[in-house]
Amino acid sequence: MLDRRPFGRIPLVPEPKPSFHDSRTIILAPTGKDTILIAGLLGRRGMPWHAAASAEDLCIEIGRGAGAAIISEEALSEGAITRLRAVIDGQPPWSDFPLIVLTVGGRVTIESERLRTLRQPLGNIFLLERPIRPETLLSTLEIALRGRLRQYQIREQMAQYARAQDALRRSEKLAVTGRLAASIAHEINNPLEAVTNLLYLMRDCEDMERGKRYLEAADQELARVAEITRHTLRFYREPNHPVDTQVESVLRSVLVLYHSRLTAAGVEANLEVFAPHATVLSSPGELRQVIANIVGNAIDAMRHGGRLRLRLSMEPGPGGQRVRLTIGDTGAGIPRSLLPSIFEPFVTTKGETGTGLGLWVTGEIVRRNGWKMQVRTLCGALRSGTVFSIVMPTGETAAAEEEVSAAVA
Ligand SMILES: Nc1ncnc2c1ncn2[C@@H]1O[C@H](COP(=O)(O)OP(=O)(O)OP(=O)(O)O)[C@@H](O)[C@H]1O
Ligand SMILES: [Mg+2]
């Protein structure tokens, strides 16, 4: 198995510097001279700061972007803690916002203990007991800001990862389009070659009966070209948002386009349709991409002939009828060691001819649409093969479920 996952090895572009907002320290110390003293201290070091007028203002400023907050304990009333908690709980996954709380030393009272317990879920808290030496405050703030900087780096890496995934998804879509375009050209070329030959034969043919047979054969070949063109034009015109999509028609269009690959590999394709009118809520292009990837892999696994079985049926499910699509092959099967990683990107056993993106994208489409997919495979010496089953809510069921949730909301 060749595993070409590049993540982790990608040299990351230099980290962008955090913006002015992202590196600010928000100060909330409404009583006494704390704000003036801290602001002066930060100002002399050239560290950006913002004095918040209230807990609400503090939360708004954290939302606008900040590196840390310095809060005096007196400002952390129960209401302020609740507000702050909502902000902290709503942070994105990369964020763990640092809070430096300046406590009032002295007696522990029931009230101070209660507030301390309430404060705990705020997470990343540094407690500094007053009176505080300026160096202690500055070094604590520097530690907090350094930690925040690491969080920004994680944010950037997550954004890069999302961008890379997006680029991969688009490249796989292009690869599928390229493969389909090659299949279409191949499919059209065969009947056109046949028509050229038949016309050549007709040129010197004086036997009317034989000439008629040539014409009929040419007619059939041209009908095939027309069928392929019809399917191709349908792709071109179909919407790329979810609509009620006839599964059988998508299945047939994939088989039309893979016809010559199936014939060349000596694969016999059987389509069993027990639910001819089954529809699912999907963009036809996405459903085709899923079927084309699975069928393409099945053909690759049966290079020396075999049987491809496609079965479309309905079955009862919890929220209504479900559509079950089963695609089975009699290929070599997927080795046990490879099975857990086939839905990861760049996992391929096909060397330079495979990108290892087909099943990754297939899995993503299945997950995004809320479908269920199962793979069963056997690598025995006497019997081998692989079966992919996909269960999808019917178009009508999906619409009905939407109506229910809209009524509940
Ligand atoms: N029906 C199957 N029979 C045997 N092996 C399979 C089957 N389907 C998938 N595999 C294995 O899973 C691997 C990953 O499949 P995937 O479709 O993601 O990538 P690929 O076919 O190698 O490349 P491509 O990006 O061109 O589709 C394949 O390389 C193959 O080893
Ligand atoms: Mg593939």
Side-chain angles (χ1 to χ4, degrees):
M1 175 186 54
L2 183 63
D3 183 344
R4 291 202 244 124
R5 279 167 288 188
F7 296 117
R9 276 184 283 138
I10 294 180
L12 295 171
V13 288
E15 304 290 352
K17 281 211 173 327
S19 68
F20 169 79
H21 268 98
D22 280 351
S23 52
R24 289 182 312 163
T25 299
I26 315 292
I27 309 164
L28 177 65
T31 54
K33 287 191 186 151
D34 280 347
T35 301
I36 295 173
L37 292 175
I38 299 167
L41 199 60
L42 300 191
R44 279 194 294 283
R45 292 285 185 113
M47 296 162 89
W49 57 270
H50 174 91
S54 62
E56 197 175 343
D57 190 20
L58 170 79
C59 295
I60 293 171
E61 291 303 326
I62 293 176
R64 290 176 67 199
I70 300 177
I71 309 169
S72 68
E73 194 174 32
E74 313 84 85
L76 274 184
S77 63
E78 190 169 342
I81 293 175
T82 312
R83 275 212 179 91
L84 207 48
R85 176 97 195 258
V87 173
I88 298 292
D89 287 350
Q91 295 179 103
W94 54 265
S95 177
D96 189 14
F97 189 74
L99 300 166
I100 299 173
V101 177
L102 311 180
T103 64
V104 196
R107 268 189 326 119
V108 176
T109 62
I110 297 180
E111 181 57 10
S112 70
E113 266 308 282
R114 199 176 69 83
L115 288 177
R116 198 182 64 80
T117 318
L118 274 179
R119 264 190 334 240
Q120 247 159 12
L122 293 177
N124 195 2
I125 292 190
F126 297 79
L127 292 180
L128 292 182
E129 197 173 305
R130 283 180 283 194
I132 307 157
R133 289 184 27 222
E135 303 81 63
T136 313
L137 179 63
L138 275 176
S139 66
T140 310
L141 181 60
E142 269 162 15
I143 293 170
L145 289 174
R146 212 174 305 133
R148 188 67 175 158
L149 203 63
R150 294 292 309 156
Q151 295 171 21
Y152 292 144
Q153 287 169 350
I154 295 169
R155 173 180 68 182
E156 184 53 29
Q157 283 173 10
M158 286 171 81
Q160 278 184 26
Y161 184 71
R163 282 196 294 272
Q165 276 203 330
D166 211 43
L168 278 182
R169 229 172 274 130
R170 267 180 279 133
S171 80
E172 158 61 17
K173 216 169 180 176
L174 278 180
V176 169
T177 316
R179 283 200 289 268
L180 287 182
S183 301
I184 293 166
H186 196 185
E187 287 297 319
I188 289 181
N189 193 42
N190 285 349
L192 284 185
E193 252 176 29
V195 171
T196 311
N197 290 340
L198 288 163
L199 288 178
Y200 178 80
L201 289 172
M202 276 179 68
R203 211 182 293 157
D204 301 322
C205 175
E206 281 162 12
D207 181 345
M208 280 288 279
E209 271 310 303
R210 197 184 307 159
K212 228 170 124 194
R213 282 203 302 278
Y214 288 154
L215 266 181
E216 275 165 13
D219 212 31
Q220 279 171 11
E221 296 295 341
L222 286 177
R224 173 140 183 79
V225 176
E227 190 194 6
I228 295 162
T229 318
R230 213 174 45 245
H231 277 286
T232 317
L233 284 177
R234 202 186 303 153
F235 296 170
Y236 181 66
R237 292 191 191 120
E238 65 196 10
N240 56 8
H241 55 267
V243 289
D244 241 12
T245 302
Q246 275 237 332
V247 186
E248 182 185 347
S249 109
V250 177
L251 265 176
R252 288 193 186 278
S253 72
V254 172
L255 285 181
V256 165
L257 293 176
Y258 278 128
H259 178 79
S260 44
R261 271 187 70 190
L262 287 162
T263 317
V267 173
E268 179 197 331
N270 293 122
L271 175 60
E272 298 168 307
V273 178
F274 296 104
H277 304 296
T279 62
V280 295
L281 195 62
S282 157
S283 103
E286 281 198 343
L287 184 61
R288 178 171 307 99
Q289 201 171 355
V290 165
I291 299 173
N293 281 339
I294 297 175
V295 170
N297 284 342
I299 302 173
D300 287 342
M302 297 186 288
R303 290 197 186 276
H304 307 295
R307 203 156 90 129
L308 176 72
R309 283 183 74 175
L310 303 112
R311 197 167 185 274
L312 177 62
S313 58
M314 295 276 255
E315 62 186 34
Q321 288 289 99
R322 310 262 137 177
V323 178
R324 180 178 283 274
L325 174 62
T326 315
I327 302 173
D329 66 63
T330 55
I334 305 171
R336 188 181 282 264
S337 57
L338 179 63
L339 195 60
S341 52
I342 55 170
F343 292 105
E344 287 174 25
F346 303 112
V347 174
T348 181
T349 51
K350 298 176 192 169
E352 291 307 311
T353 59
T355 62
L357 293 177
L359 286 183
W360 173 65
V361 165
T362 300
E364 287 237 321
I365 295 175
V366 165
R367 229 185 339 269
R368 193 163 359 103
N369 284 285
W371 303 338
K372 298 265 175 300
M373 181 159 66
Q374 209 187 24
V375 190
R376 278 175 294 136
T377 186
L378 186 69
C379 298
L382 294 177
R383 237 160 42 94
S384 65
T386 304
V387 180
F388 281 78
S389 313
I390 305 174
V391 178
M392 305 164 271
T394 62
E396 293 89 354
T397 317
E401 279 173 359
E402 245 176 34
E403 272 170 31
V404 170
S405 62
V408 171

PDB file of all heavy atoms in Angstrom, residues 330-342:
ATOM      1  N   THR A 330     -16.759  -8.872  -7.910  1.00  0.00           N
ATOM      2  CA  THR A 330     -16.103 -10.143  -7.597  1.00  0.00           C
ATOM      3  C   THR A 330     -14.585  -9.995  -7.752  1.00  0.00           C
ATOM      4  O   THR A 330     -13.900 -10.901  -8.209  1.00  0.00           O
ATOM      5  CB  THR A 330     -16.624 -11.257  -8.530  1.00  0.00           C
ATOM      6  OG1 THR A 330     -16.423 -10.808  -9.883  1.00  0.00           O
ATOM      7  CG2 THR A 330     -18.088 -11.554  -8.302  1.00  0.00           C
ATOM      8  N   GLY A 331     -14.111  -8.801  -7.410  1.00  0.00           N
ATOM      9  CA  GLY A 331     -12.667  -8.526  -7.524  1.00  0.00           C
ATOM     10  C   GLY A 331     -11.877  -9.181  -6.404  1.00  0.00           C
ATOM     11  O   GLY A 331     -12.392 -10.038  -5.679  1.00  0.00           O
ATOM     12  N   ALA A 332     -10.644  -8.706  -6.237  1.00  0.00           N
ATOM     13  CA  ALA A 332      -9.734  -9.355  -5.273  1.00  0.00           C
ATOM     14  C   ALA A 332     -10.095  -9.068  -3.821  1.00  0.00           C
ATOM     15  O   ALA A 332      -9.576  -9.706  -2.912  1.00  0.00           O
ATOM     16  CB  ALA A 332      -8.313  -8.878  -5.545  1.00  0.00           C
ATOM     17  N   GLY A 333     -10.972  -8.095  -3.579  1.00  0.00           N
ATOM     18  CA  GLY A 333     -11.311  -7.743  -2.197  1.00  0.00           C
ATOM     19  C   GLY A 333     -10.315  -6.745  -1.629  1.00  0.00           C
ATOM     20  O   GLY A 333      -9.261  -6.482  -2.235  1.00  0.00           O
ATOM     21  N   ILE A 334     -10.652  -6.184  -0.474  1.00  0.00           N
ATOM     22  CA  ILE A 334      -9.765  -5.190   0.160  1.00  0.00           C
ATOM     23  C   ILE A 334      -9.084  -5.861   1.353  1.00  0.00           C
ATOM     24  O   ILE A 334      -9.772  -6.353   2.245  1.00  0.00           O
ATOM     25  CB  ILE A 334     -10.579  -3.959   0.632  1.00  0.00           C
ATOM     26  CG1 ILE A 334     -11.383  -3.380  -0.542  1.00  0.00           C
ATOM     27  CG2 ILE A 334      -9.673  -2.906   1.258  1.00  0.00           C
ATOM     28  CD1 ILE A 334     -12.377  -2.305  -0.155  1.00  0.00           C
ATOM     29  N   PRO A 335      -7.757  -5.892   1.385  1.00  0.00           N
ATOM     30  CA  PRO A 335      -7.073  -6.539   2.506  1.00  0.00           C
ATOM     31  C   PRO A 335      -7.487  -5.934   3.845  1.00  0.00           C
ATOM     32  O   PRO A 335      -7.722  -4.725   3.935  1.00  0.00           O
ATOM     33  CB  PRO A 335      -5.591  -6.276   2.235  1.00  0.00           C
ATOM     34  CG  PRO A 335      -5.517  -5.899   0.805  1.00  0.00           C
ATOM     35  CD  PRO A 335      -6.841  -5.334   0.408  1.00  0.00           C
ATOM     36  N   ARG A 336      -7.563  -6.798   4.866  1.00  0.00           N
ATOM     37  CA  ARG A 336      -7.981  -6.375   6.206  1.00  0.00           C
ATOM     38  C   ARG A 336      -7.162  -5.176   6.702  1.00  0.00           C
ATOM     39  O   ARG A 336      -7.691  -4.256   7.299  1.00  0.00           O
ATOM     40  CB  ARG A 336      -7.792  -7.551   7.159  1.00  0.00           C
ATOM     41  CG  ARG A 336      -8.360  -7.344   8.533  1.00  0.00           C
ATOM     42  CD  ARG A 336      -8.070  -8.579   9.359  1.00  0.00           C
ATOM     43  NE  ARG A 336      -8.994  -9.651   9.025  1.00  0.00           N
ATOM     44  CZ  ARG A 336     -10.104  -9.891   9.712  1.00  0.00           C
ATOM     45  NH1 ARG A 336     -10.404  -9.157  10.740  1.00  0.00           N
ATOM     46  NH2 ARG A 336     -10.912 -10.864   9.365  1.00  0.00           N
ATOM     47  N   SER A 337      -5.854  -5.173   6.398  1.00  0.00           N
ATOM     48  CA  SER A 337      -4.986  -4.098   6.901  1.00  0.00           C
ATOM     49  C   SER A 337      -5.299  -2.757   6.220  1.00  0.00           C
ATOM     50  O   SER A 337      -5.062  -1.699   6.791  1.00  0.00           O
ATOM     51  CB  SER A 337      -3.529  -4.460   6.652  1.00  0.00           C
ATOM     52  OG  SER A 337      -3.352  -4.697   5.266  1.00  0.00           O
ATOM     53  N   LEU A 338      -5.842  -2.818   4.995  1.00  0.00           N
ATOM     54  CA  LEU A 338      -6.104  -1.576   4.254  1.00  0.00           C
ATOM     55  C   LEU A 338      -7.486  -1.005   4.582  1.00  0.00           C
ATOM     56  O   LEU A 338      -7.699   0.219   4.528  1.00  0.00           O
ATOM     57  CB  LEU A 338      -5.996  -1.874   2.743  1.00  0.00           C
ATOM     58  CG  LEU A 338      -6.256  -0.740   1.767  1.00  0.00           C
ATOM     59  CD1 LEU A 338      -5.216   0.354   1.950  1.00  0.00           C
ATOM     60  CD2 LEU A 338      -6.216  -1.247   0.330  1.00  0.00           C
ATOM     61  N   LEU A 339      -8.401  -1.901   4.933  1.00  0.00           N
ATOM     62  CA  LEU A 339      -9.808  -1.501   5.085  1.00  0.00           C
ATOM     63  C   LEU A 339     -10.025  -0.266   5.972  1.00  0.00           C
ATOM     64  O   LEU A 339     -10.749   0.641   5.573  1.00  0.00           O
ATOM     65  CB  LEU A 339     -10.619  -2.705   5.601  1.00  0.00           C
ATOM     66  CG  LEU A 339     -12.137  -2.577   5.467  1.00  0.00           C
ATOM     67  CD1 LEU A 339     -12.556  -2.409   4.017  1.00  0.00           C
ATOM     68  CD2 LEU A 339     -12.817  -3.801   6.072  1.00  0.00           C
ATOM     69  N   PRO A 340      -9.387  -0.179   7.169  1.00  0.00           N
ATOM     70  CA  PRO A 340      -9.683   0.980   8.025  1.00  0.00           C
ATOM     71  C   PRO A 340      -9.273   2.315   7.414  1.00  0.00           C
ATOM     72  O   PRO A 340      -9.750   3.354   7.845  1.00  0.00           O
ATOM     73  CB  PRO A 340      -8.862   0.713   9.298  1.00  0.00           C
ATOM     74  CG  PRO A 340      -8.513  -0.724   9.253  1.00  0.00           C
ATOM     75  CD  PRO A 340      -8.440  -1.109   7.812  1.00  0.00           C
ATOM     76  N   SER A 341      -8.372   2.309   6.405  1.00  0.00           N
ATOM     77  CA  SER A 341      -7.892   3.611   5.907  1.00  0.00           C
ATOM     78  C   SER A 341      -8.397   3.957   4.512  1.00  0.00           C
ATOM     79  O   SER A 341      -8.002   4.982   3.956  1.00  0.00           O
ATOM     80  CB  SER A 341      -6.365   3.645   5.936  1.00  0.00           C
ATOM     81  OG  SER A 341      -5.842   2.530   5.281  1.00  0.00           O
ATOM     82  N   ILE A 342      -9.303   3.147   3.936  1.00  0.00           N
ATOM     83  CA  ILE A 342      -9.671   3.436   2.532  1.00  0.00           C
ATOM     84  C   ILE A 342     -10.411   4.760   2.363  1.00  0.00           C
ATOM     85  O   ILE A 342     -10.419   5.322   1.280  1.00  0.00           O
ATOM     86  CB  ILE A 342     -10.495   2.299   1.868  1.00  0.00           C
ATOM     87  CG1 ILE A 342     -11.735   1.977   2.685  1.00  0.00           C
ATOM     88  CG2 ILE A 342      -9.639   1.071   1.584  1.00  0.00           C
ATOM     89  CD1 ILE A 342     -12.693   1.036   1.965  1.00  0.00           C
TER      90      ILE A 342
END
